[in-house]
Amino acid sequence: MKNFSKKIAIAAIPAVMALSAPQAESKILLMSQEGWEVSFDGAANAFIMKNSITDAPTSASSGANGAATYETAGGIMGGTAGGETVGIVTGLLPNVWGMTLKAPTNNGIDFSARLGLYTHMNGGENALGNGQINLRETNGSVSGSFGTILIGRSLGIHQSSAILNDMLLFGVGAASSGSNSNTTLGRIGLGYLYTDFQPQISWTTPGLGPIGIKMGVFDPNEVHAETGAIDATELVAPRFEAQITYSTAVNGVSADMWVDGSYQYTEFSTAAQAANWGSQGELAIGEEGISSVGGAAGIKLSYDKFSLVASGFYGRGMGIRGQHSVGTTEASTGALDSLGKPRQSYGGYLQGVADLGVVSVGYSYGGNVQVQTGNDKSSTTVAELNYQDMHSGMIWHNVTDQFRLVAEGGFSTRNWHMGSDQEDTFGGVGGFFFW
């Protein structure tokens, strides 16, 4: 959990606020006589959470599974041992201080620059109280009749809508206490894959009525395998991501739909090819590289004070938690098996939210499945992760336009393909301050 969660910040605060934060002009704006503008925005949060975790399975506790070793390090439970834990943590969203600089409009063209500092109170256990700080947004953009072109580090495209519509953006979710050293996992790996903040050159089309299109060229990721010797690390081509959205309304029901995808080709190093070339016949690598392909789709329906979200994805060579299993600390979540063959994964979530006036309530259920390869199934030494899922309930109240109180509880499980599972029951309370 520790290594993986260090890479987590789920969404750019302006985009998140536009979707589900209290409706307010959550920014501080400074203007010059020449037309330059500087705005500040962000959020701070803290939760006190309690977890009750069952013991992780072992070969000794699994009976008929013989010599199987169950991979548990770094999973959604945050560790290998069960027990009761309590922690005061940053939720799925970190604390953020964002700054945007906008130049005066010239000939219908706007230039702006964005810097986002993402901070966490967890991560240090010494007298100095060190936490974590990450620079996840640093970019420039130009906008006009042609749309918007962004260059720099910003939120990815593939699976971004699934994340931005998740109520757990303002909660905690999985890995809510215990060994948490950064942001928590929310529903990452439990309904979608983490999109991450990525170096990119992306283009958002100008207004096309109800249709929106965004596409980009991204800095590629290494594709991680169950064993590091078989990682695909030769970054010979960029990654491509794209999204199409469509919005409509009929008889008071509004619908927001999206389809997005990702493609990346990554080659094995000469050493990785030599490590398994020709071994075990058809299960050997037998190829120079891997095509990682992902697709996702979803819909949000809204009527009066009620909303329903349904979202799903499929991936090949994409992993079960972070895309391409970047930052994974356990073999069983690798995007490739121990012979370098791509694993397939799929998942999704359902979510319902009701605004009851004084408070809002929401419930969601989702999970991710990893399809075992032939080598996974034949192995009796390692039990790879099969699927993990989570039920989550939330209730929240906007005390003011800038302050939200949240209570949350849930139940998550991890299941291995040779049998046995690990369970986590969690709950707690916290709050968000927006500016």
Side-chain angles (χ1 to χ4, degrees):
M1 165 59 198
K2 285 187 176 182
N3 290 341
F4 178 75
S5 65
K6 287 179 181 179
K7 298 186 67 61
I8 295 175
I10 297 306
I13 286 296
V16 173
M17 288 182 172
L19 283 165
S20 52
Q23 297 303 306
E25 186 66 21
S26 300
K27 63 173 60 177
I28 302 169
L29 178 64
L30 304 177
M31 302 181 66
S32 72
Q33 292 182 344
E34 293 77 18
W36 289 85
E37 299 179 5
V38 179
S39 61
F40 301 91
D41 56 75
N45 73 92
F47 290 80
I48 180 167
M49 301 294 295
K50 181 174 181 178
N51 291 63
S52 178
I53 307 173
T54 62
D55 288 333
T58 64
S59 57
S61 67
S62 58
N65 292 318
T69 299
Y70 287 80
E71 296 288 348
T72 56
I76 64 170
M77 309 307 175
T80 59
E84 304 284 335
T85 61
V86 174
I88 298 177
V89 299
T90 304
L92 177 57
L93 280 174
N95 296 330
V96 184
W97 182 275
M99 296 160 280
T100 301
L101 172 67
K102 180 183 176 300
T105 302
N106 191 344
N107 294 324
I109 298 177
D110 290 315
F111 295 90
S112 62
R114 172 79 180 171
L115 178 66
L117 301 175
Y118 291 68
T119 64
H120 321 280
M121 60 185 170
N122 305 105
E125 298 181 356
N126 55 44
L128 298 177
N130 293 333
Q132 300 286 336
I133 184 169
N134 303 98
L135 184 61
R136 291 170 176 152
E137 288 181 284
T138 172
N139 59 68
S141 61
V142 54
S143 302
S145 59
F146 50 84
T148 299
I149 297 174
L150 180 145
I151 300 175
R153 179 181 290 272
S154 187
L155 188 68
I157 298 174
H158 178 45
Q159 303 244 316
S160 61
S161 289
I163 294 174
L164 292 173
N165 282 286
D166 179 11
M167 68 180 185
L168 288 178
L169 278 174
F170 294 95
V172 177
S176 57
S177 64
S179 62
N180 175 57
S181 64
N182 207 291
T183 60
T184 58
L185 285 179
R187 193 167 280 289
I188 293 173
L190 297 154
Y192 48 74
L193 303 179
Y194 178 47
T195 186
D196 211 343
F197 286 85
Q198 302 279 352
Q200 62 187 273
I201 301 174
S202 60
W203 173 49
T204 303
T205 61
L208 300 174
I211 299 175
I213 301 174
K214 186 175 183 179
M215 60 189 73
V217 179
F218 288 75
D219 190 34
N221 294 323
E222 294 182 354
V223 184
H224 287 253
E226 181 175 312
T227 173
I230 317 298
D231 290 348
T233 58
E234 300 297 306
L235 306 178
V236 296
R239 183 171 69 261
F240 299 93
E241 297 187 7
Q243 179 187 69
I244 299 176
T245 60
Y246 178 77
S247 299
T248 187
V250 179
N251 296 328
V253 178
S254 63
D256 298 293
M257 295 167 274
W258 65 87
V259 177
D260 57 60
S262 172
Y263 176 81
Q264 177 182 304
Y265 176 76
T266 317
E267 291 189 349
F268 295 104
S269 67
T270 302
Q273 292 184 41
N276 262 298
W277 195 277
S279 68
Q280 299 190 37
E282 71 276 6
L283 293 179
I285 292 175
E287 54 188 88
E288 295 183 356
I290 289 294
S291 292
S292 298
V293 182
I299 183 171
K300 180 179 181 179
L301 299 173
S302 302
Y303 176 76
D304 194 20
K305 297 182 181 298
F306 302 91
S307 67
L308 176 68
V309 176
S311 176
F313 78 92
Y314 166 81
R316 176 186 181 273
M318 295 291 287
I320 192 175
R321 202 169 52 196
Q323 291 187 36
H324 313 102
S325 289
V326 173
T328 186
T329 61
E330 62 178 308
S332 61
T333 62
L336 313 176
D337 69 10
S338 61
L339 295 179
K341 288 291 184 178
R343 288 170 170 157
Q344 300 179 64
S345 57
Y346 61 90
Y349 73 93
L350 291 172
Q351 172 184 287
V353 173
D355 181 354
L356 304 180
V358 177
V359 298
S360 296
V361 297
Y363 166 80
S364 64
Y365 171 75
N368 287 6
V369 177
Q370 177 175 260
V371 180
Q372 276 67 51
T373 64
N375 182 62
D376 290 337
K377 294 177 181 178
S378 64
S379 172
T380 59
T381 57
V382 176
E384 289 81 11
L385 192 64
N386 189 0
Y387 71 92
Q388 52 194 28
D389 62 356
M390 180 172 70
H391 296 266
S392 180
M394 286 182 64
I395 180 170
W396 63 92
H397 171 57
N398 294 329
V399 181
T400 69
D401 287 340
Q402 287 76 38
F403 181 57
R404 171 180 291 183
L405 290 175
V406 181
E408 177 188 348
F411 175 77
S412 57
T413 64
R414 313 181 74 215
N415 301 269
W416 284 263
H417 83 278
M418 285 185 175
S420 296
D421 59 27
Q422 186 180 25
E423 301 175 350
D424 180 8
T425 302
F426 59 90
V429 296
F432 265 86
F433 171 61
F434 309 95
W435 65 85

